[in-house]
Amino acid sequence: MKISGVKGMNDVLPAEVARWHEMEAVARDVFALHGYREVRTPVVEPAQLFARGVGEATDIVNKEMYVFEDKGEELLALRPEGTAGTVRAFIEHGAYVEGPQKWFYMGPMFRRERPQKGRYRQFHQIGCEAFGVAEPFVDAEQIALLDGYLARLGVRAELRLNTVGDASCRPAYLADLKAWLTGRKAELCPDCNDRIERNPLRVLDCKTPSCQPVLEQAPRLLERLCEGCAAHFAQVKAGLEALGVAYRVDPRLVRGLDYYVRTAYEFTSDALGSQSAVAGGGRYDRLVETLGGPPTPGIGFALGEERLAMILEKAGRAPQERRPAVFFISADAAGALEALRRAAALRREGIACELDPRGGKFKAQFKQAERVGARYAVVLGENEVRSGEAKLKDMQSREETPVALDALAARLRG
Ligand code: AMP
């Protein structure tokens, strides 16, 4: 019986993995340049962590979390996002005593969403969290980091920027927003109606076309920010301008949870279709406290690797797989054994090489050399073993040059 993979959970096959390696290697490099250090946390956490750390009012926790019981112990969950676990680890290990910290993570996340293009049930995020700095230039630095990361990969994405205020300006605004939305209830979609009471800010984020003209007219927090939030926002923008990062202020971009404050941002790409966000982030100055740590401001983002891979694929950027420098072709039993030995020796020297352990016809072996993209082929048989000399055949030009087998490594490196 054939067993298929779980719906919404994808295999990344070897030909595609090279792209993932590139996304991750560039991330590690860019993050290290900015002082972000990697943290690895479990994919399973107490369900309670996400209820508190992401919020019970969110779809992610409310509807989409994979929750299970571990033999009568506390309820566990597959992590739906990376921030809550990172913050838990930050608190649990007392990392805050060392002052401001910049951490990053990468790995699989799980949400029971309706699978569609760009939306999966297991997907992968790369995320950064900067703890301990409330000042706006850390926001600008982090946004510029993400912008620079995407640029390094040749991706052009639009940066949308907003502020969601804080405890001094948001509550009064929310009350007005709720009243205003309630008055326009009939014109809004069922999802919006659902959210008016629970999470009115999220209504602004609705993507349903018929809601757009209504929501465009909704009252805007941007016009009613308190002094502190207005100053913070101005400084974030000034920082981005100083760093040459282009942005568009989008007054309807939100982060729907109470502990999110001030800066909210998202990078979107037309290449993605309806699920257009490749990364999103925001400031969460009360999250560490909410999860039982000392008051510690923070700001973070998460980027979707599947979506980034889609953009790269669409842009026609071929994944760069490492190809063998040389493919050994065996002419007889002595050659086959020599090929095995020579390949091992070259690999010890850091040179990728390949052979066909099945031996067989020359033609089939050459075909195999072509298929794996080898740069050169070397035929080995009794004669070559005896003389220590062989021919190095350029697989592209078909040109053959003599080479001493002991000089192969130097030759391939040169
Ligand atoms: P979020 O954690 O919802 O703010 O998402 C951050 C980023 O993760 C998004 O911009 C997407 O690129 C990616 N993402 C979120 N949910 C999914 C999903 N179900 N499937 C694929 N990518 C996702």
Side-chain angles (χ1 to χ4, degrees):
M1 197 181 70
K2 195 182 96 191
I3 297 175
S4 303
V6 176
K7 199 169 99 179
M9 304 199 177
N10 303 312
D11 301 308
V12 183
L13 296 176
E16 190 54 27
V17 162
R19 198 191 297 289
W20 287 64
H21 285 165
E22 187 189 6
M23 296 191 292
E24 290 164 9
V26 175
R28 286 179 203 286
D29 186 45
V30 172
F31 297 172
L33 288 171
H34 290 77
Y36 281 79
R37 294 149 72 218
E38 183 171 357
V39 61
R40 300 187 183 194
T41 63
V43 292
V44 173
E45 298 274 2
Q48 192 57 30
L49 174 68
F50 303 109
R52 272 207 276 152
V54 181
E56 300 204 71
T58 60
D59 286 352
I60 296 181
V61 169
N62 215 9
K63 300 194 236 167
E64 298 169 358
M65 209 152 66
Y66 288 94
V67 177
F68 59 99
E69 210 172 313
D70 185 11
K71 298 233 169 91
E73 289 177 28
E74 64 185 331
L75 275 185
L76 301 178
L78 293 183
R79 64 182 183 191
E81 54 91 59
T83 302
T86 302
V87 171
R88 177 202 50 69
F90 178 81
I91 298 167
E92 192 167 334
H93 302 283
Y96 46 81
V97 301
E98 292 167 33
Q101 302 267 333
K102 294 189 270 191
W103 287 8
F104 76 89
Y105 59 83
M106 45 180 80
M109 308 295 162
F110 305 84
R111 297 180 195 172
R112 195 186 279 104
E113 300 206 65
R114 195 170 57 77
Q116 62 188 95
K117 195 162 183 273
R119 175 166 285 165
Y120 310 106
R121 290 184 164 182
Q122 175 175 328
F123 58 99
H124 297 76
Q125 288 186 334
I126 299 179
C128 282
E129 317 288 354
F131 298 112
V133 179
E135 281 69 17
F137 284 173
V138 78
D139 307 30
E141 183 192 65
Q142 184 180 83
I143 297 170
L145 166 155
L146 183 49
D147 183 72
Y149 168 66
L150 293 169
R152 275 264 304 261
L153 291 169
V155 169
R156 288 190 30 203
E158 185 186 36
L159 165 59
R160 297 188 303 137
L161 181 70
N162 194 21
T163 172
V164 294
D166 68 6
S168 56
C169 52
R170 193 163 50 202
Y173 166 75
L174 281 184
D176 289 355
L177 178 66
K178 213 185 264 187
W180 189 90
L181 291 169
T182 307
R184 309 291 295 262
K185 245 179 158 158
E187 298 160 73
L188 295 167
C189 73
D191 268 353
C192 283
N193 272 283
D194 237 28
R195 287 180 176 140
I196 293 176
E197 281 304 314
R198 261 195 307 134
N199 202 343
L201 215 51
R202 277 301 302 279
V203 175
L204 296 177
D205 204 27
C206 176
K207 303 285 186 298
T208 306
S210 59
C211 297
Q212 303 311 307
V214 185
L215 297 175
E216 274 306 311
Q217 296 163 34
R220 293 181 169 185
L221 177 56
L222 262 185
E223 285 143 25
R224 306 168 49 170
L225 292 174
C226 62
E227 224 172 281
C229 287
H232 188 95
F233 195 46
Q235 284 297 297
V236 173
K237 291 191 289 185
L240 289 174
E241 280 151 30
L243 294 167
V245 176
Y247 61 87
R248 177 166 70 83
V249 173
D250 178 353
R252 283 175 49 197
L253 175 73
V254 300
R255 302 255 109 195
L257 301 168
D258 284 351
Y259 50 72
Y260 275 110
V261 295
R262 299 185 170 169
T263 312
Y265 63 102
E266 204 166 81
F267 281 82
T268 55
S269 163
D270 291 340
L272 288 175
S274 61
Q275 305 301 326
S276 66
V278 63
R283 180 166 273 287
Y284 47 72
D285 289 350
R286 282 174 41 218
L287 178 57
V288 178
E289 226 175 325
T290 303
L291 292 176
T296 308
I299 178 165
F301 71 78
L303 168 138
E305 290 193 82
E306 280 79 1
R307 293 196 193 167
L308 181 56
M310 269 168 64
I311 298 175
L312 294 172
E313 191 187 343
K314 239 186 165 163
R317 263 177 84 108
Q320 294 300 318
E321 258 192 282
R322 183 162 170 176
R323 302 287 181 191
V326 62
F327 194 102
F328 289 108
I329 286 169
S330 54
D332 48 37
L337 196 61
E338 185 69 5
L340 198 62
R341 245 192 320 252
R342 292 284 172 185
L346 286 186
R347 288 165 180 157
R348 276 195 295 273
E349 302 256 353
I351 294 170
C353 51
E354 207 33 284
L355 50 88
D356 187 343
R358 297 169 303 179
K361 294 208 174 80
F362 265 14
K363 200 172 154 198
Q365 292 190 57
F366 269 110
K367 207 163 181 177
Q368 188 69 359
E370 227 161 72
R371 199 182 63 85
V372 300
R375 189 142 171 246
Y376 297 102
V378 170
V379 177
L380 295 178
E382 250 179 66
N383 288 340
E384 285 77 14
V385 174
R386 203 175 315 114
S387 65
E389 293 274 331
K391 290 209 177 76
L392 190 63
K393 177 169 181 172
D394 188 310
M395 290 294 290
Q396 214 117 72
S397 68
R398 311 258 149 202
E399 217 171 284
E400 290 190 331
T401 41
V403 63
L405 288 175
D406 288 340
L408 248 183
R411 184 67 177 274
L412 292 169
R413 224 185 266 115

